[in-house]
Each structure stands twice: as structure tokens, then as C-alpha cells.
Amino acid sequence: MNMKKLLFVLGLLPLFGCSKAAAPESPERLADEAYVSYFEKRLNGEDHGALYTAGTALTADRVALARDTVWNSWRAANRAFAEDKLIALNPLNQTHSGRFDLTAYEPKAIMPYYYGTKGAARPEAGWPLFVYMHGSGPKESEWNNGFVLGSRFGDAPSAYFIPQIPNEGGYYRWWQRAKQEAWERLLRQAYLSGEIDPNRVYFFGISEGAYGSQRLASFYADYLAAAGPIAGGEPLENAPAENCANIGFSLRTGANDLGFCRNELTQAALEEFDRLAAEHPGYYEHNIQVVPGATHTSIDYNPTTPWMKNYTRNPWPKYFFWEDFAMDGRYRDGFYNLAVVERSDDGSARSCYEMTIVDNTVDLKVSTMTAEVTARTSKWDLPLKWAKTYTPATKGRVIVYLNDKLVDLSRPVKILVNGREAFNGMVELNTANLVNSCATFFDPERLFPAAVEVTVR
């Protein structure tokens, strides 16, 4: 792609030649052709996740400009990428709808959606985005009901993405492979639009949407400010509470919601979040209620989004726990500021990563986890409680991404892996780290100028 074509993709050249009257574009608005080419390959799945290696060293005063260049290069690559794009963001009451074609991942999978705003004024940082997942009734009526509910919830000013599940049938869920593609496409395009506040994204849903949003909250916690399943109760094996250290988590289920023992599973989640919050003060903020007298259909849906909207994501937490579990056979490539190069487990256990940063020391504990069921529900024989055993991992490689929100980059940084000093020294600032973290997380808040790859042994 030559530079003229690149500038046109970015919208920096007019359609019919250059205007002599136009002011020259400032350098930070330009993209880099090499970055765009790399991003295009990543988007098309051509390089199998290979890292960008042609970076250049940076000084601290050049990081902001380099970050802008990388993000604009990412924007250019996405504009040229052939996929369904998010429709324009208009008032929700105008009932504009779009669709995501997911047939590359699942037969006949077309996801219609409503996308719009509530409230007269766009917040300065962008619209908070609420993603609502409907229940398991007939998908057309459930989708329409979601539009009615989303329109009335008391969370304005806000934006809503209200999808219709693509297909129906036994054991068809919001968290399966094609839907993962939809969530990542939504987040990626919403960030690129500049209309959405990247630190105020919320997943929630009712009934089947509650199961989906609970799993997705644990899987995608690093993208979320809060999550709010209603009338659900997922076994915690499928939605590890540990991953939710830095988000607000609401789960409200009726005490008389007996189907699939949702009341019992919600109570188990409450006890687990209480335990984690006591062990890690300031983390694991939650509002989990087994609501007296309420059934599956009589529970009040209205309190959830007003509670969630009080939470804003911290994209650079100095503590997190990541139980790296697979959903529909698929693993995440990273979590917060950590990217996996080589997995530490052999498939019979789960890899777990616990990171704590104090001053300029990054303490990373990597373990493999096995779990034994210690209690089951009164009916359906569903796993209710677990005893987890953690064993220090003896293999694996990870990239620890860093910025000046996590450590003081002007001073030496120490990285401990399972107590062993894996790195101690000054970290290099390099454009390659910005490019690689952008490709991994597609998140404007997580373009990291520094990175250290460490080995687990």
C-alpha cells in the first residue's frame, strides 16, 4: 500500500485530489505503512499470531506520538478489512438495526442487533456501552423484549448493543465460538469508532443471557467495567470468580428460582465472592443477591444497570488473577497486561496467573490448577462447590507488557516468576511493543511501550 493510498484510507486526502487550501495534517494523525501491513495480516489470520519485530527504540517523550501512529495504523487496517461494520450510533428510540455475519464460524449464523443511545448529551469520554443478552425463548420475541427493556432501564446517558442470538436449539449459548467472534468484533469496532468510552463497557442479560454474561464476564473481565447477570447462576467451573478482581459484579436471582437450582448456584457465587473480597480487600466488588420471594419471572430487572454504571474499568490494575479457561475449546491470548507465548498446562489442568505489582517489582505466580467437586446441587447433580489445588508451573513463556501506569519506566524493573528473579534492569521502550499489544488486545488503553518476555521453569 503506497502512502497516497494509505492517507486516503485514513480519510486524510479528499476524494478528488489534494486541496491546496487544506492545512497540512499533523504528524500524529498519520499511520505507518509497515504497521498497517502487519495489522492487515493479523486481521486476516495470515501470520498465526507472529510478533512484529521491526520496531524502533523510543524515548519517553516520543511514546505518546508513537502510540497515536500505531492506533491510526490499526484504524486504517480495520477500515480496509472486509467485515460487517457497526452501524452509525443514533438514538435508540429510532430503532436502527444492523447485523453481523458469523457464518464463517457457524452455519446460518447471522446476528441482528439494535445499536443506539439514550440521553441527550454524549459524555466527554464517550458513551458507556451496555451489551444486553436475551433469554432462551423464541429469538424474535426475546430480541424485541430486549429492546423494550433496554430502552427503559435507568442508566442514561448510555449506548446499547442489543443482539438477537443467531440460531436456536438445544444447548445453544451466548458464549460459544461464533458469539465470541461477535463480542470481539463489537469491542474492536466500538473502540475504533471513538464514540464509546473504552473504560465503561458492561455485559448483562436475563435467564439464558445471565448464564452467557456470567461466563463472558470471567472470560473478558479485562475489557469490562462491570457485569450483571439476572435470574441465572452458572457453575463457577464455567465462570471462575477469581478473574473478576477488577470489575463490579452483580448477580441477582430469586430465592424461589428453582429451575436448574439457580438459587443455590447464586448463593454459592455469593459465598465465593465474599471469600475472595475478604482475602483481597478492595477487589472483588460485588452485589450478589438471592432475592426473597422472587421467582424466575417475577424478579425485578431494573436495579442492575444503575448499579453497574457506577463502575469504571481500570485497564492497568496492579493485581489480577487469571484462571485461563477455554470457552467452546478456545483460549484467550492474554489478560490485562499479560500475553501467553507458550502455555504452562498440558490440557489436563488449567494455567493460572496471579500478578501483583508493588513499587517497581512485578511478582508473577504461574501455576497449574486442578479442581475437585466438594458439593453438588440438591437436584440436577450440578457442581456447586470446588476444592482447587495449585501446583507451581514448570514450563511456559509469557510477555509482561508495561507502561508508566504500572511501573516507573525511568527506573530498573524487577520481574519475579514463582519467586525466581527472571528479569532485573531497565526496560526498553520500543514501537514493536505498541504494535504487538495493539494486535493482542485491540484496546486503545492497552498499547504498551515496554515488554519483557519471561520463561516459567
Side-chain angles (χ1 to χ4, degrees), residues 143-162:
W143 185 40
N144 291 333
N145 189 49
F147 177 81
V148 172
L149 290 171
S151 298
R152 82 180 191 203
F153 287 143
D155 46 52
S158 56
Y160 262 74
F161 182 88
I162 305 171

Side-chain angles (χ1 to χ4, degrees), residues 90-252:
N90 291 301
L92 189 63
N93 60 17
Q94 296 179 9
T95 62
H96 292 285
S97 64
R99 53 174 249 165
F100 282 163
D101 185 336
L102 306 172
T103 53
Y105 307 93
E106 177 187 303
K108 302 180 181 179
I110 301 295
M111 177 185 278
Y113 62 84
Y114 295 115
Y115 187 51
T117 62
K118 301 190 304 185
R122 173 188 180 272
E124 184 177 352
W127 296 96
L129 177 61
F130 290 83
V131 180
Y132 169 84
M133 297 166 214
H134 64 65
S136 59
K139 65 178 186 175
E140 188 69 36
S141 61
E142 289 282 355
W143 185 40
N144 291 333
N145 189 49
F147 177 81
V148 172
L149 290 171
S151 298
R152 82 180 191 203
F153 287 143
D155 46 52
S158 56
Y160 262 74
F161 182 88
I162 305 171
Q164 180 189 106
I165 204 161
N167 287 308
E168 295 174 292
Y171 206 66
Y172 188 73
R173 303 293 188 254
W174 283 111
W175 47 263
Q176 290 161 335
R177 178 67 184 91
K179 280 74 73 178
Q180 292 177 41
E181 169 62 25
W183 310 133
E184 293 178 22
R185 186 182 303 179
L186 166 64
L187 290 168
R188 175 165 48 83
Q189 292 190 19
Y191 290 159
L192 287 164
S193 74
E195 294 286 340
I196 299 300
D197 183 344
N199 292 325
R200 296 191 67 194
V201 177
Y202 310 91
F203 281 5
F204 76 112
I206 295 168
S207 190
E208 186 56 53
Y211 292 120
S213 58
Q214 187 174 353
R215 286 206 191 200
L216 293 165
S218 183
F219 198 66
Y220 290 118
D222 51 329
Y223 290 98
L224 302 180
I230 307 166
E234 185 72 53
L236 292 177
E237 175 192 24
N238 303 327
E242 291 88 342
N243 292 5
C244 298
N246 295 284
I247 70 172
F249 184 80
S250 173
L251 171 58
R252 301 180 70 255

Side-chain angles (χ1 to χ4, degrees), residues 214-215 217-219 235-244 272-273 276 284 321-325 350 369 388:
Q214 187 174 353
R215 286 206 191 200
S218 183
F219 198 66
L236 292 177
E237 175 192 24
N238 303 327
E242 291 88 342
N243 292 5
C244 298
E272 181 64 3
F273 271 85
L276 289 167
Y284 298 102
F321 191 104
W322 179 29
E323 186 175 310
D324 184 13
F325 68 105
R350 290 180 176 179
M369 185 276 293
K388 296 184 176 182

Side-chain angles (χ1 to χ4, degrees), residues 214 234 236 240-242 249 251 262-280 283-284 286-290 374-376 383-386:
Q214 187 174 353
E234 185 72 53
L236 292 177
E242 291 88 342
F249 184 80
L251 171 58
R262 284 183 281 261
N263 53 348
E264 295 179 35
L265 289 160
T266 298
Q267 179 63 36
L270 171 59
E271 293 171 9
E272 181 64 3
F273 271 85
D274 281 349
R275 181 188 69 81
L276 289 167
E279 288 185 3
H280 303 276
Y283 296 91
Y284 298 102
H286 60 281
N287 176 37
I288 303 177
Q289 299 178 37
V290 181
T374 59
R376 293 185 176 273
L384 186 66
K385 296 183 178 181
W386 303 81

